[in-house]
Amino acid sequence: MVLKVAKRGAVPPFIVMDVLREANARAAAGEEVLHLEVGQPGTPAPGPVLAAAHRALEQDLIGYSDAMGRAELRHAIAGHYRHAYGVELDPARVMVTTGSSGGFLVAFLAAFDVGDRVALAAPGYPAYRNILTALGIEPVVLETGPEDNFQPTVAHLEAVEERLDGLILASPSNPAGTMVGREQLAELMAYCKARGLRFISDEIYHGITYEAPAASALAFGEEAVVINSFSKYFSMTGWRLGWMVLPEDLLRPAECIGQNLFVSAPSLSQAAAVAAFDCYDELDGLVAAYGANRALLLEALPKAGFGRLAPADGAFYLYADVSALTNDSAAFCKRMLAETGVAVTPGLDFDSDRGHRYLRFSFAGRKDDMAEAARRLQAWLG
Ligand SMILES: Cc1ncc(COP(=O)(O)O)c(C=O)c1O
């Protein structure tokens, strides 16, 4: 008898992971591959985090925490809001999660029912729509482009004719790296509040900004669901740790969902992550290095033929319109990897309708690799 494979689990692949597999296979076969595909810092966690992890391994039980997270870490996260935004936050509103990815799952389950409709920008981080779809929640795509800085506006929301139940905003965004200003953030939040939409603010790239610091939704009201992570600014991707700041009405539902889905976020990571908030100088040094990579690529990529780039005010990505070079960015990226050893991500990951005209460069790696990638691409495209 043939057993059923559920349709709800048939989410599209996260193409960048497929590119990474191919890039790693080439590297294993001895090719010198330059990784501009994957969005992760090329550095380990800060030294004090590693030291705290070693101490915890020797002295700590590393058992479960409660589903909201270790008290000491929730307290340190609340302190981070004072440091980074001048906002006072009650640690009781913080839930520690298994990366921001675990946070999305808990937040969407707590806030939305099957059949609800949640707006999000395209291009955008693909897991939002794939998690929503797997949960039976309908993603409503707001098409954004250079004219609106690749960010949703109130006009986009007003143009949606059917009911909406929520909005997901990422500023700085992945893949464009663009940001909304304080005014636009306040406007979007006010629109959502007035119409009963849940406002979900993905703040995972906060701290990695080049022009102006990012504003947190938390500064504009207590109704937003704020999601953040240790993966990017804190350089701790594989530690699988993130957090949410929740409005009062979602706290207990999220706690119950967390108890059942995860029991607790990884305890070793929680013990270590407390030390991350003593490392701002070291972490800001990493941001300065991303800034140098960004400047290098902003100068070199146009010379190599990639002239139409989103502004990248934050995060570590350059989203390039390559319609003058190809109409099939997936095939283009495959050929680029095969012929130059430079791995980048096709835009299809972020925008299923228009992504065939775009690709994303990640500049989270080493500066030498950025310079070498630009050199190879310039030689490749002549
Ligand atoms: C915008 C955005 N949100 C969330 C994530 C997920 O990160 P994590 O689960 O490691 O916190 C990523 C990862 O690249 C991302 O780009």
Side-chain angles (χ1 to χ4, degrees):
M1 194 161 76
V2 180
L3 295 178
K4 183 177 97 173
V5 177
K7 285 189 205 63
R8 74 151 76 206
V11 297
F14 192 2
I15 300 170
V16 66
M17 302 314 286
D18 290 346
V19 177
L20 181 63
R21 184 172 13 83
E22 167 82 17
N24 285 341
R26 286 179 175 275
E31 280 181 45
E32 200 205 334
V33 171
L34 300 171
H35 290 281
L36 278 72
E37 80 286 39
V38 70
Q40 74 171 342
T43 45
V49 171
L50 298 177
H54 282 293
R55 272 198 310 280
L57 276 175
E58 279 165 14
Q59 296 165 10
D60 199 304
L61 175 68
I62 320 287
Y64 296 131
S65 70
D66 72 58
M68 298 302 279
R70 291 189 171 210
E72 195 191 0
L73 180 58
R74 296 168 78 196
H75 200 268
I77 290 169
H80 178 64
Y81 282 86
R82 195 175 312 115
H83 168 90
Y85 311 101
V87 172
E88 285 304 318
L89 171 64
D90 180 354
R93 288 182 56 208
V94 176
M95 178 175 190
V96 180
T97 57
T98 306
S100 69
S101 302
F104 294 128
L105 187 56
V106 173
F108 296 167
L109 281 166
F112 303 120
D113 279 317
V114 170
D116 278 358
R117 290 162 44 84
V118 177
L120 37 76
Y125 181 59
Y128 305 141
R129 65 172 190 272
N130 295 339
I131 298 172
L132 289 169
T133 304
L135 297 178
I137 303 159
E138 190 181 340
V140 177
V141 171
L142 310 175
E143 276 204 359
T144 67
E147 61 287 352
D148 36 45
N149 204 24
F150 294 96
Q151 287 287 358
T153 60
V154 166
H156 283 118
L157 294 172
E158 277 174 341
V160 177
E161 283 169 7
E162 281 181 67
R163 185 194 88 249
L164 283 177
D165 301 287
L167 169 68
I168 302 173
L169 182 91
S171 168
S173 73
N174 176 7
T178 56
M179 292 164 64
V180 294
R182 296 179 69 82
E183 237 170 66
Q184 190 175 344
L185 176 59
E187 242 173 59
L188 285 165
M189 285 181 69
Y191 182 93
C192 289
K193 189 173 182 181
R195 286 161 185 78
L197 278 67
R198 287 280 181 196
F199 187 85
I200 315 260
S201 184
D202 180 357
E203 304 190 350
I204 187 169
Y205 291 105
H206 279 213
I208 307 177
T209 55
Y210 310 105
E211 301 296 333
S216 173
L218 206 59
F220 298 92
E222 297 196 345
E223 62 281 351
V225 175
V226 173
I227 300 189
N228 208 325
S229 173
F230 288 91
S231 289
K232 309 295 175 169
Y233 174 71
F234 296 96
S235 192
M236 295 174 62
T237 49
W239 298 69
R240 305 312 303 131
L241 203 64
W243 74 86
M244 295 194 283
V245 180
L246 291 161
E248 201 64 42
D249 61 337
L250 291 185
L251 272 172
R252 182 64 182 153
E255 180 173 18
C256 296
I257 292 164
Q259 288 168 346
N260 284 281
L261 257 54
F262 298 109
V263 184
S264 88
S267 275
L268 178 59
S269 302
Q270 293 194 59
V274 176
F277 299 103
D278 298 327
C279 302
Y280 291 117
D281 287 346
E282 182 175 341
L283 295 168
D284 289 342
L286 300 182
V287 177
Y290 304 141
N293 290 352
R294 170 179 176 266
L296 186 152
L297 288 184
L298 280 176
E299 181 170 335
L301 285 179
K303 290 183 191 152
F306 302 96
R308 299 171 70 184
L309 302 166
D313 295 328
F316 32 53
Y317 307 114
L318 285 167
Y319 198 51
D321 178 344
V322 288
S323 50
L325 300 170
T326 182
N327 198 26
D328 182 350
S329 60
F332 185 82
C333 291
K334 219 175 165 48
R335 202 153 57 79
M336 184 193 290
L337 177 59
E339 294 174 13
T340 71
V342 178
V344 303
T345 307
L348 282 174
D349 243 353
F350 314 102
D351 186 341
S352 45
D353 288 335
R354 298 167 299 163
H356 58 281
R357 296 195 274 116
Y358 287 89
L359 51 83
R360 187 195 74 175
F361 296 90
S362 166
F363 55 83
R366 292 167 46 238
K367 194 172 181 192
D368 289 352
D369 286 357
M370 301 302 128
E372 174 61 13
R375 196 194 57 73
R376 289 187 196 177
L377 293 179
Q378 193 162 357
W380 187 53
L381 289 174

